[in-house]
Amino acid sequence: MDEDRETRAAIEELASIGAPQLVVSTISTLVNLAFVRLGLVDGAAEHADAREAAVAIDAISALLPVVERFAPPEATDELRGTVASLQVAFARAVGAPPPGTEPRTAPPSPPPPPAPERPKIWTPRGDV
């Protein structure tokens, strides 16, 4: 009987949560986890783990199309901005340049062109 009561209570609890609410809650948790795993939270440097951060960022990106189905455009735009910020932070954390940026070192400049051959000048004493 206690198991039936516990099962019913669990069902009631799940039924009270809407799927969109759960998706948003999950994304919120993943965003916080990504910030911690990237070492971007004060006091969390020892918890930095690029692989864990990558999984969290990928999961958020995968849930973005689901959020687009029920959330207003402003919310999805904000989420896209958050994902982009996390991706840039990840790139910096692993030492890769952010997408779309130029390398920090300038390309070598081309060698100067050869000096043109000086034309000979005629003088009464001969060519110079």
Side-chain angles (χ1 to χ4, degrees):
M1 284 285 206
D2 285 339
E3 287 182 26
D4 286 343
R5 199 173 306 146
E6 288 175 17
T7 301
R8 271 190 247 131
I11 291 171
E12 289 299 319
E13 184 179 348
L14 283 174
S16 70
I17 301 171
Q21 179 184 357
L22 182 60
V23 170
V24 169
S25 176
T26 300
I27 288 173
S28 177
T29 301
L30 288 167
V31 166
N32 290 328
L33 177 65
F35 276 109
V36 168
R37 292 303 190 173
L38 288 170
L40 299 175
V41 176
D42 288 339
E46 70 271 11
H47 300 292
D49 184 330
R51 285 185 180 173
E52 292 282 326
V55 171
I57 294 167
D58 289 346
I60 297 164
S61 297
L63 288 171
L64 186 58
V66 176
V67 172
E68 289 172 335
R69 293 180 9 210
F70 65 82
E74 306 83 44
T76 57
D77 289 346
E78 184 177 337
L79 182 56
R80 270 195 198 88
T82 300
V83 170
S85 296
L86 286 169
Q87 289 170 331
V88 169
F90 177 83
R92 286 185 180 141
V94 298
T101 60
E102 296 297 318
R104 291 181 186 234
T105 58
S109 56
E117 192 173 308
R118 194 173 140 210
K120 298 196 181 250
I121 302 173
W122 181 87
T123 65
R125 294 190 174 163
D127 289 336
V128 178

